Every structure is written in structure tokens, then in C-alpha cells.
Amino acid sequence: MLTAKTKCIGILGWPVEHSLSPLMQNSAFVTAGLDYIYVPLPVAPPALAAAIEGLKALGFAGANVTIPHKVKVMPFMDHLDKNAQMAGAVNTIVLKENKLYGYNTDVDGFIRPLLRQKVLLAGKKAIILGAGGAAQAVIWGLIQAGVAEIAIGVRDTAKAKPLIDLFSTYTGISAHQLPSASLNDKLRCCDLLINATPLGMAPHIAQEPPVNWPLLPAGSIVYDLIYTPRQTKFLQQAAACGHVTMNGESMLVEQGAAAFALWTGQPAPLEAMYAAIAAHFV
Ligand code: NAP
């Protein structure tokens, strides 16, 4: 039952109706027996500053931040954690004593499913397709996990330059036209291929990033950040070649689990969160 003591968490986005986080987080709070409620908060871009003030005025305990506010919300934070700084975006806010603490749980959300599958990342070579917001969080996660070499495949290599500039002091990183002969060279010795473009996302399920599949070594891991559909054309191609495939559903759950832990100080009920998302897709 909602009372004056119930702690409120919101998700700021525009639009926000499509978000699965209210379903997942409210299931988690019920399972954990915590007096919290998670509400969608549609915030048009010009209203972002007012919405942030509103979170404070209304005594919210925290928030998630989604498209298009993840970058624009950063200057409002009183404190930014290292992952948020390096990912260049905030997706989770904790409010404490009227101060705003900004985090990026997409970084751990991406890495944790790999670690749970006991994938050894140290010293490995990765290719990431796309150079947008998710790619930046993924690259920082890979660097922290000790990946030795990262190649970015993009349709306009100039757009990858800020990522090369930011991360080249941490690891070997290069940008390549998608597709190109130089990206094919990287494919030949790739351990982990990641799609961080929206190609193949519903409703455009016939699309796929151009990958020269026969070049990818047998047994590579192919990870698509997309979770609708669960099996994109990209993952279908990978599975047909015998590669290990992962979709974005586990990243969605794990970034939410990391946010839950930040708001509540308790480990998230992971099974309930996975079940809530899986039930949605049935
Ligand atoms: P974004 O910032 O818009 O970046 C998208 C990237 O894909 C850009 O580099 C863009 O290149 C590239 N791209 C777009 N259309 C392309 C095309 N037709 N051909 C080649 N490249 C193309 O988006 P984002 O936030 O990084 O998200 C990327 C994907 O990750 C989305 O599908 C999103 O749903 C997914 N995601 C999943 C999770 C999760 O929890 N599972 C979390 C975050 C994101 P240009 O700059 O040239 O357009």
C-alpha cells in the first residue's frame, strides 16, 4: 500500500511509455518487500531543469534517466561517479540530503552478463559496431575488464574520433569504416563482436549491420544490445555460424539491478527482475 513513507523513484525520458523499467523495478521492490514505488515521468527536453528541481522538491529517493536526457542531465549533478564520467552519461540518480549523485549503470549492466557466463575478457580483442552513447559505456566497461584491443566499426569514422581521443590512453583502440577491408582484418582475430547500433531493432527487424560472417573465428561471442526482438537478424546470423550469442535483455536487467542496489543499499532480486522482463516478452 502506498503511504506518506513510500519512497518514490522515477524514470525521466521523452517519450517514456515504452520503458520496461517500471515493470521490472516495481516487481523488484515487491519481491524485496521494500516500500518503494517506481513511476514513469515523461519530461519534454525544455522541462529537464524543472523536472530535476521537482525531484528534489518532491523528495524523490532517486531516478533513472533515459533518452534524450542522459547527457543533458550531467551538469545538474552535485557528484558524478567514474563510470558516468567515462561513459559521458548518467542513467541513474540517487538523491541524498538534497544532493544529486549521478551514476552510469549501463557500464556494469553490459559487463555483468558476460562475467556471469564466465567469459574471460582480459587480453581479448573486441569489435563494437556503432559509436553512440551505448558504445561509449560498453567501451569503458571493456577497458575495465582488461580487453586488450577494441575496434569500432562506424559508417562515419569522424564520429568515432571523440571515443578514440578519450580511450586511447587506456587501451589499443581504432576506428574503421563499416564495412571495410580494415574492419574485416579486425574480424579475423576478433573474440567478441558487439552490435551497439539500432540496426535490426523492432520494427525494422529485417535490418542488420554489414558483417562478413565467414571471417569471424569459430566460437566467438556475439552480443547485440538490442532486446526487441530477442533474436535480431544479427544474432540469427551469428547463431547460424555457431557463435555464442547474447541479446540486450540481460544488460537491461543488470543495469536495473545495479540501480536498485544504489537506491536501496540492498542487492537486487535478480531472478524476479529477469522473470518480470521475460514475462513481458512471452
Ligand atoms: P545512439 O547514441 O543513437 O548511437 C547509435 C549508433 O549507431 C551511432 O554510432 C550511429 O551512427 C549508428 N547507426 C545508426 N544507424 C545506423 C545505420 N543505419 N548504419 C550504421 N550505423 C548506424 O544510440 P545508443 O543509445 O548508443 O543505442 C544503440 C543501441 O543500443 C540501440 O539499439 C539501443 O536500444 C541499445 N541499447 C540497449 C541497452 C540495453 O540495456 N540493452 C542500453 C542502451 C542502449 P551515426 O552517428 O552515423 O548515426
Side-chain angles (χ1 to χ4, degrees):
M1 195 179 68
L2 296 180
T3 70
K5 288 186 182 158
T6 303
K7 291 189 175 162
C8 294
I9 308 285
I11 174 163
L12 282 61
W14 185 260
V16 80
E17 298 85 65
H18 65 281
S19 174
L20 298 178
S21 292
L23 167 78
M24 178 172 70
Q25 296 292 2
N26 284 316
S27 299
F29 293 138
V30 169
T31 303
L34 293 174
D35 188 12
Y36 279 70
I37 182 97
Y38 186 105
V39 289
L41 301 171
V43 175
L48 182 61
I52 295 291
E53 278 309 305
L55 291 177
K56 288 184 177 176
L58 295 169
F60 271 58
N64 275 139
V65 185
T66 187
I67 292 168
H69 302 311
K70 284 185 181 188
V71 177
K72 295 257 164 61
V73 83
M74 293 180 79
F76 298 106
M77 299 298 112
D78 296 295
H79 181 268
L80 280 175
D81 94 319
K82 181 79 175 169
N83 283 354
Q85 288 172 30
M86 297 307 290
V90 162
N91 79 331
T92 300
I93 300 173
V94 175
L95 279 111
K96 256 189 289 186
E97 289 155 6
N98 222 32
K99 292 263 186 284
L100 297 160
Y101 295 80
Y103 298 88
N104 189 306
T105 65
D106 284 336
V107 177
D108 288 342
F110 167 77
I111 289 291
R112 282 184 193 176
L114 289 163
L115 300 182
R116 281 189 208 287
Q117 300 233 8
K118 310 252 183 297
V119 175
L120 296 174
L121 291 167
K124 296 291 166 70
K125 294 179 177 173
I127 295 181
I128 178 151
L129 307 178
Q136 186 166 339
V138 164
I139 292 170
W140 179 236
L142 293 173
I143 288 170
Q144 290 182 94
V147 163
E149 193 184 303
I150 299 170
I152 307 173
V154 273
R155 56 182 170 181
D156 175 2
T157 50
K159 289 200 180 158
K161 190 170 181 308
L163 298 183
I164 305 291
D165 291 347
L166 179 63
F167 292 123
S168 55
T169 53
Y170 297 93
T171 193
I173 185 164
S174 54
H176 308 265
Q177 188 75 36
L178 173 68
S180 65
S182 71
L183 191 61
N184 284 346
D185 286 343
K186 295 292 177 187
L187 266 176
R188 286 188 182 91
C189 54
C190 174
D191 301 295
L192 172 63
L193 173 65
I194 303 145
N195 179 31
T197 78
L199 285 165
M201 189 162 66
H204 306 291
I205 59 168
Q207 296 182 346
E208 59 183 313
V211 173
N212 196 335
W213 289 106
L215 300 183
L216 192 63
S220 298
I221 292 163
V222 179
Y223 192 156
D224 198 334
L225 302 198
I226 293 171
Y227 49 84
T228 49
R230 282 173 131 174
Q231 181 97 345
T232 55
K233 213 166 163 204
F234 176 74
L235 290 187
Q236 288 170 28
Q237 301 267 26
C241 296
H243 301 299
V244 179
T245 62
M246 297 173 65
N247 70 16
E249 205 172 313
S250 45
M251 176 174 173
L252 172 72
V253 173
E254 296 279 359
Q255 63 76 30
F260 178 103
L262 288 168
W263 297 318
T264 66
Q266 295 191 18
L270 257 185
E271 267 183 40
M273 297 173 87
Y274 271 105
I277 294 298
H280 170 83
F281 286 116
V282 170

